[in-house]
Amino acid sequence: MRVRDSLEYLSEATRHAIMAEQTNRFAAADDRELSARLCDQEFLERVWAEASDIERSVMKRFVLKSTGGFFSKRSWERETASDHRRMTVGLTRLRRLGIILTVRKMWSEIGYVMPQEIREHLTRQVLPEPSRAFVSPSKTLPYYITAGRGIQLDLFGLLAFIRDNQVPVTQKGTIHRRLSARMAAMLSFSDEHCANLRLPPLDQEDREGLALTVVLDIAMRLGLIHVEDRRLALRLREVRHWMTQSPPDRWNEMFEAVTQQYLPHGPWWEAFSLSMRQVPLEQWCSLELQLRMLEEAGFSLPDEADKQVAGQWLHLLTGLGWIQLGMDDDGQVYWRWISLPRLTAEEGWYIDPAGEITIPPLVPLRHIWEISRFCTLHFEGALIRGYLQPKELQSFLASGRSEEQVVELLRAACVHPLPEALLEAIGQWAKDARQIQLEPYYRVRTAHPGFLEEWRGIPDFQPYLTLVISPTDFLISLSQKEQLVHLLRRYGYEPQVLADSPANGSQEQVDAGVNAPVGWFVVQRPWDGYAVENTFPDPLEGMGEVAALPKMWTQHFQSYHPQSLRDLLKRASELELEVELQMAGGDKLRGQPTEVLVESGYWTVALSGERGKARHRLDDIARVRIVVPDYLYEGV
């Protein structure tokens, strides 16, 4: 859960209360919104540096022990059973600062969550310096799984296929085997790359064809496709935005989607993923050293964690074309980021006279998308080859495009002038395509022939009367519509302009109102069903019973009536608080009462302290005081 999404559930009053608490604690007075402050690295560093010991202990628990920064109330109580009161105080203070938020299920089950940006920053505080895992291999490191050409190219091919073909979806939410086989064959991301994915419901999926399922899910989570009328359809506005994004922005968006969906659950998994993000491009890293650093930071790792990371995460990233894997002679695994998907430099393509287009890896996707409408593409690793053929180009022209548009699209990213032979071929193909044409026009219908007879005598109307089809009707081109409407109104007419039918509207307009889909399938998470609760906790929350103790018991070291003494010691035992005693002989003791009972006719108290556990008669106690720890005194 991200900061901005979390804060949307909080009222304005709650946000102001949190910001006031931050100002009081850290003098964080500025005009920024709460979301901006909680994402600010400088502010979070100050929180970490100036936090009390118990606050820092709570933050470490959320970093080292929680999955996705989430604890249910029950799991939090189990986690802090040995020091629950102290941890509860720290939790309350962090909730008042907005570092941790309260969440609740509809049936009132409570939990606590630390938003993603905060958790990632605090994780960096406990992780060792990432450069400790950097290595410089002396030779090329082989690996038994081949890397994919890049998920952005696999997605491109998938989107083009859905654009150009009908892809029905069955009632079970699957694609027919014949079509799925064709689509899977287009991908460089293979079943081998995702064979070890074990998150539910993927653990129940057939391993064959899983790669296509994953790529479809990524496309849907990016908002590029959706199911409409039981078939796959593009969301053209989102596709265009995705194509025009800068490579780093597009990569970040895809990595975030993949991490949210496919990173196995567990705090050490999240820390490992974050440690990967700290590694520069093309820098080799030792997997063994990275895992050892996680253990040093306090994360609990399972046996054979290296095999789990390689099989369930690194192989996936390799198939997406994001990392390169290597293995040395001892079987140790190494990895590095591939820089190509994130490079901002742009290249152009090359076209030979025969119409073959060589498209280097850094040509912007938006240009390739445009020519893919009339050009057959073949992927050769990160390189793409295009082939101009009469059939595809004539089909493109038949959809209402012109020869000039084709030439302009080819020139848009070409590094050299288009060959004359190619221009001649395009001209001939265009000429052949125009033998039969369907062109869109507006039909203007008048009530009686008198209108046309009158307008023929007015020079302003002459350009619009070239296609008269009856005494009352004539045709105008699409570009003339607005001009004619304006002219008629200037002459005192008020034309009735009928709206275009939905069938004639663009697909972009049709799908603009379609809600962004969730995904091809849903991975189950521990925090599903919880929503942020609009609450600002009282500073005494969780320790109200301590605050309700009589001041005499906590602030005065004195003697008591036997009954009052028994009540005081029993209450201290119930609240797990220490007491300070002075015995009749003058000795002073300190410890936690564990039980108060009659033994051999005398009231006694069992006291657990630094010297161990001992039992004392209440008659021998001269003075007593309940000791409230310093961390509880604030606000009591």
Side-chain angles (χ1 to χ4, degrees):
M1 186 175 292
R2 304 192 73 88
V3 167
R4 184 172 294 277
D5 297 333
S6 305
L7 299 183
E8 286 182 354
Y9 293 88
L10 301 183
S11 66
E12 197 68 27
T14 302
R15 296 186 195 185
H16 283 310
I18 292 174
M19 295 186 72
E21 183 76 5
Q22 294 173 351
T23 300
N24 293 335
R25 286 285 307 275
F26 308 109
D30 53 54
D31 296 331
R32 293 179 299 175
E33 293 183 356
L34 179 58
S35 59
R37 186 182 288 178
L38 288 175
C39 293
D40 180 64
Q41 180 174 342
E42 183 178 343
F43 173 74
L44 292 175
E45 287 178 354
R46 187 168 184 180
V47 170
W48 177 261
E50 299 182 16
S52 64
D53 290 341
I54 58 171
E55 290 170 337
R56 196 175 290 112
S57 296
V58 172
M59 288 189 281
K60 284 185 177 180
R61 293 286 180 98
F62 272 82
V63 168
L64 298 175
K65 301 295 184 179
S66 72
T67 297
F70 170 80
F71 276 116
S72 68
K73 187 177 182 181
R74 293 179 182 177
S75 62
W76 173 252
E77 290 172 348
R78 287 195 301 268
E79 175 63 33
T80 60
S82 61
D83 198 11
H84 181 65
R85 186 178 303 282
R86 184 170 177 268
M87 291 291 99
T88 298
V89 171
L91 177 66
T92 299
R93 293 180 187 169
L94 292 174
R95 289 165 60 203
R96 289 174 61 84
L97 291 170
I99 301 300
I100 295 171
L101 299 173
T102 308
V103 293
R104 184 185 294 269
K105 273 188 175 179
M106 290 183 64
W107 49 90
S108 298
E109 186 173 346
I110 293 176
Y112 309 103
V113 66
M114 178 180 284
Q116 180 179 331
E117 296 90 340
I118 299 174
R119 188 174 70 257
E120 289 179 351
H121 176 80
L122 297 179
T123 302
R124 294 188 189 99
Q125 301 299 315
V126 303
L127 288 177
E129 174 61 37
S131 60
R132 287 175 48 188
F134 296 174
V135 295
S136 299
S138 58
K139 62 179 181 179
T140 302
L141 298 175
Y143 202 74
Y144 62 92
I145 291 180
T146 305
R149 60 175 168 249
I151 186 61
Q152 74 280 4
L153 295 182
D154 280 346
L155 285 172
F156 182 98
L158 185 71
L159 296 175
F161 185 89
I162 295 172
R163 179 195 64 195
D164 299 335
N165 298 272
Q166 294 285 333
V167 184
V169 178
T170 67
Q171 290 183 342
K172 294 182 179 181
T174 61
I175 297 173
H176 294 288
R177 182 177 295 273
R178 178 178 57 83
L179 273 176
S180 63
R182 289 176 59 190
M183 297 168 72
M186 299 165 45
L187 307 176
S188 64
F189 182 77
S190 68
D191 293 342
E192 185 178 28
H193 295 124
C194 53
N196 293 305
L197 294 182
R198 291 292 179 262
L199 286 171
L202 292 178
D203 56 342
Q204 305 298 323
E205 288 284 332
D206 189 349
R207 299 293 101 176
E208 183 180 356
L210 185 57
L212 176 61
T213 299
V214 170
V215 176
L216 285 170
D217 180 66
I218 294 173
M220 192 167 282
R221 291 188 177 279
L222 294 173
L224 304 177
I225 63 173
H226 68 280
V227 177
E228 182 181 14
D229 297 329
R230 294 180 60 181
R231 66 178 179 83
L232 289 181
L234 301 184
R235 306 180 77 237
L236 291 179
R237 181 176 299 176
E238 285 72 17
V239 169
R240 184 176 295 110
H241 171 73
W242 185 75
M243 297 279 184
T244 56
Q245 280 183 300
S246 68
D249 289 345
R250 182 166 54 234
W251 187 90
N252 285 330
E253 183 182 11
M254 291 190 294
F255 184 83
E256 179 71 18
V258 169
T259 302
Q260 292 292 333
Q261 180 75 335
Y262 296 102
L263 181 69
H265 297 163
W268 72 274
W269 282 103
E270 296 163 19
F272 178 78
S273 176
L274 182 62
S275 70
M276 291 184 70
R277 294 294 301 269
Q278 295 179 288
V279 178
L281 297 176
E282 305 293 345
Q283 171 62 59
W284 282 101
C285 273
S286 164
L287 176 58
E288 179 186 21
L289 292 178
Q290 282 187 297
L291 295 178
R292 191 181 304 166
M293 289 160 57
L294 292 183
E295 289 182 318
E296 290 178 13
F299 291 95
S300 299
L301 271 62
D303 295 335
E304 298 187 332
D306 55 340
K307 294 182 179 179
Q308 291 189 34
V309 171
Q312 299 180 42
W313 185 238
L314 297 185
H315 287 179
L316 178 72
L317 300 186
T318 300
L320 299 176
W322 291 345
I323 67 170
Q324 178 183 352
L325 286 174
M327 182 180 291
D328 63 16
D329 297 336
D330 298 324
Q332 295 298 320
V333 175
Y334 302 85
W335 69 273
R336 67 174 175 179
W337 290 114
I338 297 174
S339 59
L340 185 60
R342 288 188 262 178
L343 295 180
T344 56
E346 293 188 2
E347 295 179 309
W349 55 53
Y350 302 83
I351 308 179
D352 68 15
E356 181 176 333
I357 309 174
T358 302
I359 306 174
L362 297 181
V363 174
L365 291 181
R366 63 183 184 276
H367 295 313
I368 307 174
W369 180 254
E370 293 299 336
I371 67 169
S372 70
R373 300 173 184 274
F374 55 84
C375 178
T376 303
L377 300 180
H378 293 286
F379 294 90
E380 301 175 4
L383 187 73
I384 305 174
R385 294 197 184 278
Y387 300 90
L388 288 174
Q389 301 291 339
K391 183 178 179 181
E392 286 82 3
L393 190 141
Q394 290 171 349
S395 176
F396 178 72
L397 294 174
S399 67
R401 301 300 185 98
S402 67
E403 174 187 344
E404 291 74 17
Q405 288 175 304
V406 171
V407 172
E408 187 60 34
L409 292 174
L410 291 173
R411 283 175 175 160
C414 191
V415 299
H416 57 77
L418 296 182
E420 288 297 328
L422 177 63
L423 294 174
E424 292 176 3
I426 293 174
Q428 183 59 47
W429 296 339
K431 182 179 179 181
D432 295 341
R434 286 194 294 266
Q435 292 181 3
I436 300 176
Q437 296 186 53
L438 298 178
E439 298 181 3
Y441 283 91
Y442 283 105
R443 178 174 181 170
V444 183
R445 179 174 295 155
T446 62
H448 56 81
F451 284 101
L452 267 64
E453 294 175 1
E454 178 183 353
W455 293 343
R456 283 192 179 98
I458 303 175
D460 289 341
F461 283 91
Q462 295 303 315
Y464 304 100
L465 301 177
T466 57
L467 295 174
V468 176
I469 58 175
S470 76
T472 58
D473 297 18
F474 62 95
L475 302 178
I476 61 171
S477 66
L478 301 186
S479 61
Q480 290 178 307
K481 172 190 170 185
E482 295 298 332
Q483 300 171 9
L484 179 59
V485 169
H486 178 72
L487 180 64
L488 289 171
R489 288 172 177 165
R490 185 155 61 90
Y491 274 82
Y493 301 100
E494 188 55 49
Q496 180 185 10
V497 182
L498 301 181
D500 293 337
S501 65
N504 293 332
S506 68
Q507 178 63 30
E508 181 175 355
Q509 293 172 327
V510 171
D511 72 11
V514 179
N515 293 328
V518 175
W520 194 253
F521 55 87
V522 177
V523 170
Q524 302 167 10
R525 296 178 174 85
W527 53 90
D528 287 344
Y530 285 85
V532 174
E533 186 176 40
N534 181 33
T535 182
F536 182 69
D538 187 277
L540 298 179
E541 185 176 311
M543 54 181 179
E545 292 178 320
V546 176
L549 289 173
K551 301 298 182 184
M552 181 180 298
W553 288 7
T554 62
Q555 298 180 7
H556 298 280
F557 192 41
Q558 63 181 47
S559 60
Y560 288 93
H561 182 276
Q563 181 62 51
S564 298
L565 179 60
R566 291 196 296 271
D567 292 342
L568 181 151
L569 294 173
K570 287 180 179 179
R571 191 59 176 151
S573 176
E574 293 170 355
L575 298 179
E576 300 179 350
L577 294 175
E578 289 187 332
V579 296
E580 183 181 3
L581 304 177
Q582 183 175 13
M583 308 306 292
D587 293 339
K588 287 188 176 182
L589 304 174
R590 180 167 173 162
Q592 180 181 324
T594 56
E595 57 181 358
V596 180
L597 51 79
V598 176
E599 187 177 82
S600 301
Y602 296 95
W603 279 99
T604 63
V605 59
L607 198 69
S608 179
E610 294 180 356
R611 301 177 184 177
K613 193 172 183 179
R615 186 170 292 277
H616 305 277
R617 289 173 53 178
L618 268 58
D619 294 344
D620 296 334
I621 299 174
R623 295 193 296 171
V624 65
R625 177 177 71 90
I626 294 179
V627 179
V628 180
D630 292 340
Y631 66 81
L632 285 176
Y633 244 120
E634 298 180 15
V636 175

